[in-house]
């Protein structure tokens, strides 16, 4: 619980087969060849003074504090930039070195404000520490000469300040922006005494290319770059390690506290997913957890037109239970269901699906993965035998060729995006398959070798063309296929894919990708060394999403790019626990561990543990729940931490379904769009208020640790447990660790997982069992989970959604760096400074044809509906394609998306909607109705009755 800092070894660790033994201050030290003297000394417990050095950055050698003396050597070399040598004898401290260091420090202090007692970094300042360490007691030079003490502070960034008067020009911030983040937004401007850190071309931080990842703030050894939360509240006094609740990267953070208040989130250098890096969301956008919009008292109401009534937890739970019992008695056992959350912990998700199966007595449970990565589960299960990605994130550092398809890592998974850019700067080749020009196509020191700018909806045709080149040009890894894959399925696939109709020249009219470029990209992927595929929702959210995932798996197997570092098939999961929610059995056809409910042995295992009989037939998927609600047979829904009213497609259809239900129970932090249709509101708890685990996109199970008491008095798992008990199905867990113990007993891939083990290792990647007690970074290494890899035919079937003269443009959707999913969290932070509304990107040619200027209001009309956004004219999108984000509910992006969905999983086709775009002067009719309804619901909330329910 103390604020103990991780030891800083000064320079990064080196790995080498050969080791070197040297003597430092009379002590023998053995380290890998290439290690710096500074790090070798630190390993021996000898800390050499330093300012410009830190073990997250390559050595720079500018501060001159870390000088040492080497026996037989000349001068006083910098220990950070000098590698160890066999038999070397090093002295780190003597009178001469002490004099030099005091002199250097004296120069720093002579141009530094001496306001230590009132400085926001007091007690947490490396300059202050080093001044004491070298024994500086006076400054002889005075402060009359030229200095930088009057430099103005830049307060433009909402999260941190930049005070150049305290800058020592150590370049750590500049190097962090380059090496760690890869944005190259900071430079050292001018030379000599006039040198200064500059964001961009002498811009302020807000207007520069800075992405506010916090790497510069983390690297700064003084108060030059300082979090505004620390300036306002002071230095924290204790910290707790937990896991970020934003994207699927699963970054580890130290929540640094004053009492029960979080004042700073610092990326944990021991975090295996992030290695001490962060993005603007995880680093700074945690204020939503204590936002004034939080609802912390349970509420009930008979009708959505009634005011809310605040009640006790017991009254709310009993009311919800009685309503669910009433509905089942009147409409049947299958008339109610539940939806789990990809934002909640594994333990909480497990309890919700257990509640539905054992407490409701049906399999009507689903999760938001239905609308994002359900095709991943289906496609990878069918081909490889397991519904998850194959690698850890660090595997990308061994990749020679990286293929990114339908994903935007620098916006959607920014910490991993930075790691990927680092590998690209080292020389890896890059293929981007995307209708839109994402940042990876061209950014500082990174440029895609091929950008295959396909037409939305043509994924399968393009993958078939890539595979056609591999097969017909003799690029198949025959030995891998022969030893690792099914012979029959491969031969059928080879014959299918070799058909001339799959040739790049034949598919060019469908994909829009020049055949020559596609052939070159295919050859690069197949022959360029270790080749890895990373994909996102641009692959899965299509009517052929599952077919596309299968096509990716086919391509990887045919080229032998499975089962070792640097290769693989890697879905980039959108939310923090999408992988975990699927692992925990949130789909209506699968129990935890992706085992079908019809499998007798699996079902009997759960029945014996849970003490009930379970249905052997799959329950309703989310779209089926909506249809059944409109038919009158589905009447009640328990929704934990999911906003289906905003996130699911064809919004008007969804809202009609919600209105037709008699009891909707929403458990969440805020009155989100779904909660406006609820009859019971159970306050949720943020990730800061609970214990549990998240599982990220690389199957990494990481601990979530409570850092403050739940504002509403209960963690989410406790609420679900109370509801189960009120329904008559007993749950009596005392702590989430007991829930994980049950998961481990029932789920083969989790057998070796426990809180004790997570505390020891920090995190674990499933499968984790007796065969792999420390987890599995790379899957399918010797054999596929299913035995032999299975090739499947991937016939291209054009989407039903077609452009015509009435709807001539294709709308596709995506995310942006500073906002997250439906925006419920990030819209309640200062991230709105960067992105305060969803806009429609449109190509200049399409804008000119329609008389649209940048910033104009435009109507976007589809076969499903119409909404209005402001236009952003850009050539990021190709002619004929428009693009928007979906982070603001009033934007109504899903009002215009259709009900088309993936053939295998019902994952909606968000990425292909035929639309027309025209200038308008007022909101759409839907937006007017939305505004009116929202104002009414907020008024009902504002005027809620603070009384006891009858």
């Amino acid at each position: 619980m103390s604020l103990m800092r991780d030891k800083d070894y000064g320079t990064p660790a080196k790995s080498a087969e050969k080791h070197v033994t040297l003597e430092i201050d009379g002590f023998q030290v053995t380290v890998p060849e290439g290690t710096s003297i500074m790090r070798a000394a630190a390993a021996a417990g000898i800390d050499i003074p330093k300012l410009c050095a830190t073990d997250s950055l390559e050595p720079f050698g500018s501060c001159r504090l870390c000088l040492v003396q080497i026996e037989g050597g000349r001068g006083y070399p910098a220990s950070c930039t000098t590698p160890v040598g066999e038999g070397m004898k090093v002295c780190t401290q003597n009178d001469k070195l002490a004099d030099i260091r005091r002199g250097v420090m004296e120069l720093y202090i002579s141009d530094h404000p001496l306001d230590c007692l009132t400085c926001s970094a007091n007690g947490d300042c490396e300059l202050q520490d080093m001044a004491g360490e070298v024994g500086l007691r006076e400054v002889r030079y005075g402060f009359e000469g030229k200095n930088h003490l009057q430099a103005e502070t830049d307060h433009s960034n909402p999260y941190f300040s930049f005070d150049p008067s305290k800058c020592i020009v150590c370049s750590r911030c500049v190097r962090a922006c380059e090496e760690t983040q890869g944005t190259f937004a900071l430079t050292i401007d001018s030379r000599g005494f006039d040198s200064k850190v500059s964001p961009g071309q002498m811009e302020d931080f807000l207007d520069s290319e800075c992405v506010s990842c916090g790497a510069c703030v983390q690297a700064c050894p003084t108060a030059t770059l300082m979090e505004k939360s620390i300036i306002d509240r002071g230095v924290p006094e204790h910290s707790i390690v937990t896991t970020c609740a934003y994207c699927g990267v699963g970054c580890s953070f130290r929540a640094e506290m004053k009492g029960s208040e979080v004042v700073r989130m610092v990326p944990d250098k021991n975090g295996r997913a992030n290695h001490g890096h962060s993005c603007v969301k995880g680093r700074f956008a945690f204020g939503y957890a204590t936002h004034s919009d939080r609802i912390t008292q349970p509420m009930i109401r008979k009708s959505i037109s009634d005011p809310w009534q605040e009640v006790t937890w017991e009254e709310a739970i009993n009311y919800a239970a009685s309503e669910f019992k009433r509905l089942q008695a009147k409409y049947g056992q299958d008339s109610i269901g539940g939806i789990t959350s990809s934002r909640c912990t594994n333990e909480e998700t497990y309890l919700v699906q257990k509640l539905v199966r054992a407490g409701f007595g049906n399999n009507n449970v689903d999760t938001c993965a239905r609308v994002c990565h359900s095709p991943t589960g289906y496609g990878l299960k069918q081909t490889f035998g397991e519904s998850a990605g194959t690698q850890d994130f660090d595997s990308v550092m061994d990749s020679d060729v990286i293929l990114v398809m339908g994903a935007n890592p620098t916006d959607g998974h920014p910490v991993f995006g930075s790691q990927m850019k680092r590998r690209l700067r080292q020389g890896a080749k890059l293929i981007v398959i995307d209708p839109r020009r994402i940042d990876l196509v061209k950014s500082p020191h990174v440029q895609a070798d091929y950008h295959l700018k396909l037409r939305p909806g043509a994924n399968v045709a393009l993958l078939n063309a890539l595979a056609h080149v591999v097969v017909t040009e003799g690029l198949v890894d025959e030995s891998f296929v022969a030893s690792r894959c099914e012979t029959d399925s491969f031969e059928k696939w080879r014959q299918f894919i070799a058909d001339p109709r799959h040739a790049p020249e034949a598919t060019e009219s469908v994909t829009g990708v020049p055949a020559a470029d596609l052939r070159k990209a295919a050859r690069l992927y197949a022959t360029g060394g270790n080749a890895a595929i990373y994909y996102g929702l641009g692959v899965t959210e299509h009517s052929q999403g599952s077919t596309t995932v299968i096509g990716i798996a086919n391509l990887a197997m045919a080229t032998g790019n499975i089962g070792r570092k640097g290769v693989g098939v890697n879905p980039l999961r959108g939310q923090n626990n999408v992988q975990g929610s699927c692992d925990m059995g949130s789909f209506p056809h699968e129990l935890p561990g992706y085992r079908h409910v019809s499998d007798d042995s699996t079902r009997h295992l759960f029945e014996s543990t849970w003490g009930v009989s379970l249905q052997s037939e799959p329950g309703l998927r989310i779209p089926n729940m909506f249809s059944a609600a409109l038919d009158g047979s589905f009447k009640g829904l328990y929704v934990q931490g999911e906003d289906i009213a905003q996130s699911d497609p064809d919004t008007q259809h969804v809202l009609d379904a919600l209105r037709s239900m008699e009891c909707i129970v929403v458990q969440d932090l805020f009155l989100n769009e779904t909660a406006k249709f609820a009859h019971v509101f159970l306050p949720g708890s943020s990730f800061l208020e609970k214990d549990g685990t998240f599982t990220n996109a690389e199957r990494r199970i990481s601990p979530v640790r409570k850092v403050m008491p739940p504002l509403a008095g209960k963690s989410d798992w406790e609420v679900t447990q109370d509801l189960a008990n009120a329904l008559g199905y007993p749950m009596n867990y005392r702590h989430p660790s007991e829930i994980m113990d049950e998961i481990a007993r029932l789920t083969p891939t989790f057998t070796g997982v426990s809180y004790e083990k997570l505390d020891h290792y920090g995190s674990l990647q499933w499968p984790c069992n007796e065969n792999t007690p420390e987890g599995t970074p790379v899957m399918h290494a010797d054999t596929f989970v299913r035995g032999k890899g299975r090739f499947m035919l991937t016939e291209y079937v054009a989407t039903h959604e077609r452009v015509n003269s009435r709807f001539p443009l294709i709308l596709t959707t995506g995310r942006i760096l500073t906002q997250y999913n439906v925006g419920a969290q990030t819209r309640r932070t200062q991230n709105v400074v960067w992105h305060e509304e969803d806009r429609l990107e449109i190509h200049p040619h399409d804008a000119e044809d329609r008389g649209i200027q940048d910033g104009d209001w435009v109507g976007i009309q589809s076969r499903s509906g119409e909404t209005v956004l402001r236009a952003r004219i850009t050539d990021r999108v190709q002619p004929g394609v428009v693009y928007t984000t979906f982070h603001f509910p009033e934007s109504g992006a899903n009002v215009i998306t259709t009900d088309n969905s993936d053939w295998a999983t019902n994952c909606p086709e968000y990425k292909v909607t035929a639309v027309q775009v025209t200038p308008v002067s007022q909101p759409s009719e839907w937006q007017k109705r939305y505004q009116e309804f929202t104002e009414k619901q907020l008024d009902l909330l504002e005027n809620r009755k603070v009384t006891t329910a009858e």
Side-chain angles (χ1 to χ4, degrees):
M1 292 284 286
S2 67
L3 195 66
M4 293 292 292
R5 298 290 185 197
D6 293 322
K7 183 177 179 65
D8 191 329
Y9 289 82
T11 63
K14 299 294 182 182
S15 58
E17 291 185 8
K18 183 179 179 182
H19 279 62
V20 171
T21 298
L22 69 158
E23 186 179 291
I24 303 178
D25 294 342
F27 296 95
Q28 275 205 345
V29 186
T30 301
V31 293
E33 187 176 40
T35 300
S36 70
I37 291 175
M38 176 179 284
R39 188 176 183 97
I46 301 167
D47 293 327
I48 300 173
K50 62 185 185 297
L51 278 173
C52 72
T54 181
D55 58 16
S56 63
L57 301 171
E58 291 300 319
F60 194 57
S62 70
C63 75
R64 314 314 291 169
L65 270 188
C66 73
L67 307 184
V68 294
Q69 196 165 17
I70 301 173
E71 186 176 289
R74 297 177 60 187
Y76 302 94
S79 63
C80 64
T81 56
T82 304
V84 297
E86 184 65 41
M88 181 182 282
K89 292 185 177 182
V90 178
C91 175
T92 70
Q93 179 73 11
N94 57 35
D95 290 345
K96 182 61 177 178
L97 289 170
D99 286 343
I100 294 172
R101 288 174 183 150
R102 276 194 296 271
V104 170
M105 182 57 69
E106 201 173 357
L107 290 172
Y108 280 121
I109 298 301
S110 70
D111 189 16
H112 198 85
L114 296 182
D115 59 350
C116 290
L117 291 179
T118 57
C119 178
S120 57
N122 186 28
D124 189 23
C125 173
E126 292 180 48
L127 185 69
Q128 188 181 59
D129 294 342
M130 289 305 110
E133 191 167 323
V134 303
L136 182 65
R137 298 293 177 260
E138 61 178 346
V139 178
R140 295 166 293 173
Y141 307 116
F143 300 93
E144 312 306 322
K146 189 176 181 182
N147 58 51
H148 303 89
L149 300 180
Q150 302 306 313
E152 292 187 7
T153 301
D154 175 5
H155 296 290
S156 62
N157 188 286
Y159 293 121
F160 60 84
S161 292
F162 172 54
D163 182 356
S165 72
K166 295 182 177 180
C167 180
I168 60 173
V169 200
C170 64
S171 294
R172 272 166 58 165
C173 59
V174 177
R175 290 148 56 208
C177 191
E178 295 175 1
E179 296 176 26
T180 306
Q181 169 58 27
T183 297
F184 293 81
L186 303 180
T187 60
I188 298 294
D189 187 66
S190 298
R191 301 178 65 182
F193 183 81
D194 294 325
S195 298
K196 54 189 172 184
V197 172
S198 171
Q201 298 298 310
M202 298 306 295
E203 300 166 299
D204 60 28
F205 265 88
L206 187 61
D207 294 329
S208 73
E209 294 179 345
C210 168
V211 294
S212 298
C213 68
C216 61
V217 181
Q218 183 73 5
C220 182
T222 70
T224 305
L225 286 159
M226 180 60 69
E227 299 95 337
K228 290 182 176 178
S229 60
I230 300 298
I231 295 173
D232 291 342
R233 297 176 179 86
V235 176
E237 41 82 17
H238 75 276
S239 66
I240 301 172
V241 175
T242 190
T243 302
C244 180
Y246 280 117
C247 78
V249 175
C251 295
S252 179
F253 278 87
R254 288 199 316 270
E256 298 197 343
M257 316 285 296
K258 289 180 79 70
S260 62
E261 180 185 19
V262 179
V263 295
R264 175 165 63 187
M265 295 292 285
V266 177
D268 179 19
K269 66 186 292 184
N270 297 313
R272 300 286 294 279
N274 59 317
H275 302 295
H277 190 33
S278 60
C279 80
V280 61
K281 295 189 288 290
R283 182 70 158 86
F284 297 116
F286 56 87
Y288 72 88
T290 52
H291 194 276
S292 59
D293 285 350
R294 281 284 300 271
I295 299 175
T296 58
Q297 186 69 28
M299 303 184 300
I300 63 174
R301 60 182 177 179
K302 291 288 186 184
S303 161
I304 66 169
S305 59
D306 293 338
W308 286 101
Q309 183 175 18
E310 285 190 356
V311 294
T312 65
W313 272 110
E314 184 179 9
E315 289 169 318
I317 293 291
N318 287 337
Y319 179 77
S322 66
E323 281 293 278
F324 283 150
K325 289 178 182 177
R326 177 183 68 81
L327 293 175
Q328 286 189 303
K330 183 175 181 180
Y331 298 103
Q333 186 168 308
D334 295 333
S335 62
I336 64 175
I339 297 178
T340 73
S341 174
S342 290
R343 297 194 192 101
C344 289
T345 65
N346 288 316
E347 294 78 3
E348 289 160 348
T349 302
Y350 175 85
L351 283 201
V352 172
Q353 64 86 33
K354 181 177 180 179
L355 166 69
V356 172
R357 300 188 200 278
F360 292 179
N362 61 48
N363 287 321
N364 293 338
V365 62
D366 210 348
T367 183
C368 75
R370 172 70 53 209
V371 299
C372 62
H373 266 287
S374 52
T376 286
Y378 180 85
L380 296 186
K381 183 80 169 180
Q382 293 296 314
T383 51
F384 298 162
E386 193 59 271
S387 302
T390 63
Q391 315 292 120
D392 60 358
F393 288 140
D394 288 349
S395 173
V396 77
M397 302 308 291
D398 290 287
S399 298
D400 302 304
V401 178
I402 300 169
L403 191 158
V404 177
M405 184 173 188
N408 187 357
T410 56
D411 277 23
H413 304 83
V415 170
F416 176 65
S418 293
Q419 186 175 22
M420 182 183 287
K421 287 195 294 183
R422 194 175 315 130
R423 179 59 187 148
L424 293 169
R425 292 197 302 273
Q426 292 173 358
K429 303 295 184 181
L430 175 65
I431 302 166
V432 172
I433 302 175
D434 202 294
R436 183 171 171 265
R437 191 184 74 241
I438 61 174
D439 285 346
L440 277 179
V441 172
K442 187 174 176 59
S443 59
H445 302 277
V446 169
Q447 183 165 353
D449 295 84
Y450 299 101
H451 177 199
L452 307 185
K453 199 184 300 183
L454 81 169
R455 294 194 182 108
N459 285 341
V460 173
L462 186 139
L463 281 168
N464 285 346
L466 288 171
H468 179 88
V469 176
V470 171
V471 167
T472 59
E473 294 190 6
L475 305 179
V476 171
D477 186 335
E478 300 287 354
S479 62
F480 180 89
V481 171
S483 63
R484 297 288 307 277
C485 303
E486 293 176 349
T487 302
D488 290 348
S489 70
F490 171 70
E491 290 303 333
K492 290 177 183 176
W493 177 79
R494 188 205 292 265
Q495 185 177 357
F496 164 80
I497 214 70
D499 192 302
R501 65 194 170 97
H502 297 309
E505 292 75 14
T507 58
E508 186 172 330
S509 61
V510 174
T511 66
V513 176
D517 289 346
L518 195 148
R519 283 189 177 275
K520 292 175 184 175
R523 292 167 189 150
L524 175 60
Y525 174 79
T527 66
N530 286 340
I533 299 175
Y534 294 88
Y535 71 87
L537 305 186
V539 160
T540 55
E541 290 179 344
H542 287 270
S543 59
Q544 280 200 287
S546 292
T547 312
T548 308
V549 174
I550 291 168
I552 288 172
N554 289 340
L555 187 63
M557 287 189 292
T559 55
N561 283 303
I562 286 288
R564 63 184 185 277
K565 285 186 175 182
V567 299
V569 173
N570 306 283
L572 295 176
R573 305 286 190 164
Q575 296 185 64
N576 55 296
N577 204 34
V578 171
Q579 183 67 59
S581 69
C582 298
D583 298 342
M584 293 299 103
S586 293
F587 288 130
H589 67 291
E590 288 177 334
L591 289 159
Y594 304 99
R595 291 164 291 169
H596 204 279
V597 294
S598 64
D599 181 77
D600 290 342
S601 60
T602 298
R603 198 174 62 258
H604 293 160
L605 172 66
F606 281 88
E607 287 175 336
S608 63
T609 303
W610 291 354
V612 294
S613 295
L614 300 177
Q615 287 187 348
S616 60
E617 292 295 324
L620 298 176
R621 298 172 174 180
I622 291 174
N624 305 132
M625 294 180 190
F626 296 152
S627 297
L630 292 170
D631 290 342
S633 59
F634 190 80
K635 290 294 185 178
L637 186 62
Y638 173 41
V639 187
Q640 184 190 75
E642 177 62 18
D643 195 358
I644 50 178
Q646 184 180 344
S647 64
D648 282 43
D650 198 356
T651 298
Q652 297 181 86
H653 174 77
V654 175
L655 302 190
D656 288 343
L658 293 176
R659 287 190 182 95
S660 69
M661 295 186 209
E662 293 184 18
C663 181
I664 295 175
V665 178
V666 168
Q667 185 174 339
D668 219 302
L669 305 180
F670 310 106
L671 191 80
N672 61 20
E673 302 308 302
T674 305
K676 294 171 185 176
F677 295 88
H679 306 88
V680 180
F681 187 93
L682 304 175
S685 53
S686 74
F687 78 111
L688 297 171
E689 302 159 59
K690 62 180 72 172
D691 289 302
T693 56
F694 293 150
T695 306
N696 74 352
E698 53 173 357
R699 296 171 282 104
R700 185 178 301 283
I701 306 159
S702 299
V704 179
R705 295 294 178 252
K706 184 189 294 185
V707 304
M708 65 187 199
L711 296 187
K714 291 179 182 288
S715 294
D716 287 319
W717 69 271
E718 296 175 291
V719 178
T720 303
Q721 176 164 284
D722 289 347
L723 181 56
N725 287 324
L727 284 164
Y729 178 75
M731 289 188 189
N732 297 293
Y733 305 99
R734 293 167 297 179
H735 188 268
S737 60
E738 296 180 355
I739 306 173
M740 179 53 75
D741 290 342
E742 180 174 312
I743 294 167
R745 287 195 300 272
L746 294 172
T747 312
T749 50
F750 277 69
T751 300
V753 179
S754 67
Y755 277 33
E756 182 180 11
K757 208 167 182 180
L758 286 169
D759 287 341
H760 177 73
Y761 288 106
S763 62
L764 294 164
Q765 287 177 271
W766 69 258
C768 179
N769 47 41
E770 62 277 4
N771 297 322
T772 55
E774 296 182 19
T776 310
V778 176
M779 291 193 69
H780 316 295
D782 300 313
T783 183
F784 287 99
V785 170
R786 69 183 307 276
K788 296 281 190 179
R790 179 188 181 197
F791 284 84
M792 298 177 69
L793 306 189
T794 52
E795 192 69 63
Y796 167 66
V797 179
T799 173
H800 295 302
E801 186 70 0
R802 308 289 179 86
V803 295
N804 57 22
S805 58
R806 185 181 175 196
F807 302 111
L809 303 173
I810 288 290
L811 168 73
T812 189
T813 61
R815 300 181 181 183
I816 200 166
L817 170 66
T818 53
Q819 293 292 338
Y820 172 70
N821 200 259
V822 296
Q825 294 149 276
T826 43
R827 282 187 281 109
R828 290 176 170 89
T829 71
Q830 288 298 307
N831 281 28
V832 293
V833 167
W834 291 281
H835 189 78
E836 61 181 359
E837 63 179 351
D838 294 316
R839 288 202 178 194
L840 185 79
E841 292 187 2
I842 185 169
H843 191 273
H845 294 168
D846 294 325
E848 184 178 4
D849 287 346
R850 291 161 175 76
I852 295 169
Q853 301 293 319
D854 194 66
D856 283 356
W857 291 102
V858 293
I860 308 104
Q861 186 177 28
S862 74
R863 294 178 175 93
S864 295
E866 182 178 10
T867 192
V868 171
L869 300 172
R870 283 206 290 169
R872 174 176 288 127
I873 299 175
T874 175
D875 61 1
R876 272 183 177 264
V877 291
Q878 56 186 293
V881 176
V882 292
Y883 168 91
T884 190
T885 50
F886 52 90
H887 303 300
F888 292 79
E890 62 270 19
S891 300
N894 282 324
V895 171
I896 49 181
T897 52
T898 69
D899 62 358
N900 292 339
S901 65
D902 174 53
W903 62 272
T905 66
N906 281 130
C907 184
E909 190 169 48
Y910 291 111
K911 305 303 184 188
V912 186
T913 305
V915 298
Q916 177 61 288
V917 178
T918 54
V920 297
S921 58
Q922 60 179 342
S924 69
E925 289 302 314
W926 178 86
Q927 285 169 313
K928 292 176 183 177
R929 293 196 304 272
Y930 167 82
Q931 187 64 32
E932 181 181 352
F933 178 72
T934 296
E935 288 176 358
K936 179 179 179 181
Q937 289 300 316
L938 292 177
D939 184 65
L940 293 174
L941 177 66
E942 182 70 23
N943 293 296
R944 58 189 178 274
K945 300 174 183 176
V946 188
T947 57
T948 302
E950 295 180 359

